[in-house]
Amino acid sequence: MLVNGQNADAISIEDRGLLYGDGIFETILCEQGKPILFEQHVGRLHKGCERLLLATQDVDTLHSEVMQVAQGDDCVIKIMVTRGVRARGYRFDTHDRAYTRIVYRSPVPKIPENYYRQGISLALSDYRLPKNETLAGIKHLNRLDQVLACQGWEAEIAEKVMLDHEGLVVEGTMSNIFIETEGVLITPTLNLGGIEGVMRDWLINHAPQLSIDCQQQDFDLVTLEKADAIFMCNSVVGIWPVVRFQDYTYTVSDNVRQLMRLVNNKLSALYKA
Amino acid sequence: MLVNGQNADAISIEDRGLLYGDGIFETILCEQGKPILFEQHVGRLHKGCERLLLATQDVDTLHSEVMQVAQGDDCVIKIMVTRGVRARGYRFDTHDRAYTRIVYRSPVPKIPENYYRQGISLALSDYRLPKNETLAGIKHLNRLDQVLACQGWEAEIAEKVMLDHEGLVVEGTMSNIFIETEGVLITPTLNLGGIEGVMRDWLINHAPQLSIDCQQQDFDLVTLEKADAIFMCNSVVGIWPVVRFQDYTYTVSDNVRQLMRLVNNKLSALYKA
């Protein structure tokens, strides 16, 4: 665990990351010490820094700290950048460049193999995501929406999908969603909420190489229910095909199988391609 | 500074208070070691614990920790309660009662005397507060809305007022708002956003004793502009009358003067009444 480059496992109780959730984070899968999709994660991190007017982080420093902490077994590295310890109150002086940069590791989560082989059950969260165009897309530290959406989780459910107040589909609690309708992949725009997942971006960019048409477009619950196929994805777990959503069942389409082969097998080798 | 009753000035970087802003806080003015409106603050804290399914905190423990940390000069005590360190991910086991309780002190903020004597300039924040009925009212640790609303603050401004996406007035960045129209005080309902301030509640409850009619009702920007009087309040600074908002000027009404006498002079003596 590193805090501003020093070995540490704690931060000040006056850090704005704790006081206000005033910061951003990334969660990066590391295979045999190597961070997967590192540049993409750093790209989103910098986008978050810009949006929140946080001090931009030096890429080489980030890389060397991640490499240092990721040494050894496969792991998940979390990076957090907060606005650090400042004068009391919400206001902040943009000339004050104080920040706290945290890098630490966790074990790779143990995912049941049948999530990939058979597919998952998806549930609908009762919790509606608020509209917030300023915070949309970035991975900031205000995550009570996701925490609250995870209340009352049933064991047979792998993930929940969240709608906004207009009833449009936004994302899963910890993943992005794609549907397939008449051969076309569609994923929500995230213009007004949700996190622009690194895996989501990667799939949007790489689908054309497999001759798969992939579009960003908002859709409602009925469109989701009537989709030909559904999958959830993020950069740590890869792609989970959905075989059940509420009372509906789905098969895993050829397109989804193609993308799964690309993403879920030997992530590191393929990501280098 | 106390963390779960022990002297400490840091918390784990894996605390959910930092990871997700998964917790609540209170900010309590203490005069000569005595917390002002303590029961009201604890009441709101417990309401927040219930709403977020956080472990309820024992009132006697809270009181003794606040008294311990508040000893000496006047100060502001901040209490934070987070969901502590748990297994990785947004999901939480409601049977796991882990929490982190933090109590620490800061100096009383130095407020220019003319904020009370002459009144303040209020500005309009560009940042719109998202609608969120689940989080409305409670003082949780997801405060990026307030941080972002404070961007680009001009020195002559004492506070900014925030609207929601429908254009209704909600609150200040760190205070609640009241307007007076035809002798009646009106403050937003906060049903869909904002923090139910302890001072706001106290004023709603005590206005009738001064024969002041006070109502909770949502209103728009035009109603705010055309108000006969405006004031902002919170439990640390008391009441700030507004004398300027955008191009409009306001006088301090008799009702507002009465309330200011009640609240801003000898807070502790009056709060005991």
Side-chain angles (χ1 to χ4, degrees):
Chain A
M1 289 178 176
L2 296 174
V3 177
N4 288 346
Q6 306 297 311
N7 283 310
D9 57 9
I11 61 153
S12 166
I13 58 177
E14 295 186 84
D15 193 284
R16 289 174 66 107
L18 173 64
L19 299 182
Y20 310 132
D22 191 7
I24 48 160
F25 71 109
E26 289 294 326
T27 311
I28 308 176
L29 179 65
C30 295
E31 295 191 338
Q32 297 174 312
K34 277 191 307 201
I36 308 300
L37 294 170
F38 178 74
E39 281 170 30
Q40 288 88 336
H41 281 288
V42 169
R44 182 174 57 184
L45 186 145
H46 282 148
K47 192 171 167 181
C49 287
E50 269 174 42
R51 196 85 69 80
L52 299 184
L53 304 178
L54 292 167
T56 308
Q57 298 297 309
D58 177 63
V59 180
D60 293 338
T61 306
L62 282 172
H63 190 257
S64 86
E65 291 188 357
V66 168
M67 293 297 282
Q68 180 185 337
V69 176
Q71 270 177 34
D73 296 340
D74 292 357
C75 68
V76 174
I77 292 284
K78 189 157 181 164
I79 304 174
M80 283 186 271
V81 178
T82 81
R83 210 180 309 274
V85 177
R86 306 258 184 129
R88 199 178 155 274
Y90 298 124
R91 267 186 256 183
F92 59 96
D93 179 351
T94 46
H95 300 294
D96 182 347
R97 305 305 283 167
Y99 62 82
T100 303
R101 183 183 62 248
I102 299 164
V103 179
Y104 76 92
R105 66 181 285 152
S106 309
V108 177
K110 290 193 179 96
I111 312 291
E113 248 193 61
N114 62 17
Y115 281 21
Y116 300 96
R117 293 200 179 183
Q118 292 156 39
I120 64 162
S121 284
L122 179 69
L124 178 64
S125 173
D126 293 332
Y127 188 85
R128 297 291 179 111
L129 272 177
K131 180 167 76 172
N132 191 323
E133 56 198 351
T134 310
L135 293 176
I138 65 171
K139 205 166 165 94
H140 56 74
L141 291 172
N142 277 201
R143 300 262 70 104
L144 274 176
D145 292 330
Q146 282 67 32
V147 171
L148 291 168
C150 287
Q151 273 183 40
W153 199 284
E154 296 131 43
E156 69 273 19
I157 298 299
E159 177 61 309
K160 288 187 183 182
V161 63
M162 303 169 78
L163 311 181
D164 66 16
H165 286 281
E166 274 72 50
L168 296 173
V169 174
V170 184
E171 62 182 0
T173 64
M174 39 69 94
S175 62
N176 289 115
I177 188 167
F178 286 73
I179 61 171
E180 181 175 332
T181 300
E182 296 178 5
V184 178
L185 288 187
I186 304 170
T187 191
T189 64
L190 309 183
N191 288 336
L192 297 176
I195 298 176
E196 282 172 16
V198 158
M199 176 58 74
R200 171 184 176 276
D201 275 2
W202 192 89
L203 290 170
I204 291 169
N205 292 331
H206 285 73
Q209 294 175 13
L210 298 176
S211 302
I212 299 174
D213 188 3
C214 182
Q215 303 187 359
Q216 297 178 58
Q217 192 180 301
D218 292 316
F219 53 86
D220 62 11
L221 188 58
V222 174
T223 308
L224 173 59
E225 289 167 350
K226 292 188 174 166
D228 299 325
I230 306 173
F231 70 85
M232 313 302 289
C233 66
N234 75 34
S235 65
V236 171
V237 306
I239 291 176
W240 289 346
V242 174
V243 289
R244 176 175 286 278
F245 173 56
Q246 308 198 98
D247 294 335
Y248 301 84
T249 55
Y250 304 86
T251 51
V252 186
S253 72
D254 289 344
N255 281 339
V256 177
R257 279 185 202 283
Q258 274 199 77
L259 291 171
M260 285 177 69
R261 270 194 296 274
L262 203 60
V263 165
N264 293 348
N265 300 328
K266 284 223 145 271
L267 285 170
S268 52
L270 282 156
Y271 288 171
K272 272 187 286 185
Chain B
M1 289 179 176
L2 296 175
V3 178
N4 289 346
Q6 307 296 313
N7 283 310
D9 57 8
I11 61 153
S12 166
I13 59 177
E14 295 187 83
D15 192 285
R16 289 175 64 107
L18 172 65
L19 298 183
Y20 309 133
D22 191 7
I24 48 161
F25 72 108
E26 289 294 326
T27 312
I28 308 176
L29 178 65
C30 294
E31 295 191 338
Q32 297 175 315
K34 275 190 309 198
I36 308 300
L37 293 170
F38 178 75
E39 282 170 29
Q40 288 88 336
H41 281 288
V42 169
R44 182 175 58 186
L45 185 145
H46 282 148
K47 193 172 166 181
C49 287
E50 270 175 42
R51 195 85 68 80
L52 299 183
L53 304 179
L54 292 168
T56 308
Q57 298 296 309
D58 177 63
V59 180
D60 293 339
T61 305
L62 282 171
H63 190 257
S64 86
E65 291 187 359
V66 168
M67 292 298 283
Q68 181 184 338
V69 176
Q71 271 177 34
D73 296 341
D74 293 356
C75 67
V76 173
I77 292 285
K78 188 157 183 167
I79 304 174
M80 284 186 271
V81 178
T82 80
R83 211 181 306 276
V85 177
R86 306 257 183 130
R88 198 177 156 275
Y90 297 124
R91 267 187 257 184
F92 59 95
D93 180 351
T94 46
H95 300 296
D96 182 348
R97 306 305 282 167
Y99 61 82
T100 303
R101 183 183 61 249
I102 299 164
V103 179
Y104 76 92
R105 66 180 287 153
S106 306
V108 176
K110 289 193 182 100
I111 312 290
E113 246 191 64
N114 62 16
Y115 281 20
Y116 301 96
R117 291 198 182 185
Q118 293 156 39
I120 65 162
S121 284
L122 180 70
L124 179 64
S125 172
D126 293 333
Y127 189 84
R128 297 291 179 111
L129 271 177
K131 180 166 76 171
N132 191 323
E133 55 198 350
T134 310
L135 293 176
I138 65 172
K139 205 166 164 93
H140 56 74
L141 291 171
N142 277 200
R143 300 261 69 103
L144 274 175
D145 292 330
Q146 282 68 31
V147 170
L148 291 167
C150 287
Q151 274 183 39
W153 199 283
E154 296 132 42
E156 68 273 20
I157 298 300
E159 176 60 309
K160 287 187 184 182
V161 63
M162 304 169 77
L163 311 181
D164 66 16
H165 285 281
E166 273 72 50
L168 296 174
V169 174
V170 184
E171 62 183 0
T173 65
M174 40 69 93
S175 62
N176 289 114
I177 188 166
F178 285 73
I179 61 170
E180 183 175 332
T181 301
E182 295 178 8
V184 179
L185 288 188
I186 304 170
T187 190
T189 64
L190 309 185
N191 288 336
L192 298 177
I195 298 176
E196 283 172 15
V198 158
M199 177 57 75
R200 172 184 177 275
D201 275 1
W202 192 89
L203 290 169
I204 291 169
N205 292 331
H206 285 73
Q209 294 175 14
L210 298 176
S211 302
I212 299 175
D213 188 4
C214 182
Q215 302 187 357
Q216 296 179 58
Q217 193 180 299
D218 292 316
F219 53 86
D220 62 12
L221 188 58
V222 174
T223 308
L224 173 59
E225 289 168 349
K226 293 187 174 168
D228 299 324
I230 306 173
F231 70 84
M232 312 303 287
C233 66
N234 74 32
S235 66
V236 170
V237 306
I239 291 175
W240 289 346
V242 174
V243 289
R244 176 176 287 278
F245 173 56
Q246 308 200 99
D247 293 335
Y248 302 85
T249 55
Y250 304 86
T251 53
V252 186
S253 72
D254 289 344
N255 281 338
V256 177
R257 280 186 201 283
Q258 273 199 78
L259 292 171
M260 286 177 68
R261 270 195 296 276
L262 204 59
V263 165
N264 293 349
N265 301 326
K266 285 221 143 275
L267 284 170
S268 52
L270 282 154
Y271 288 169
K272 274 188 286 186

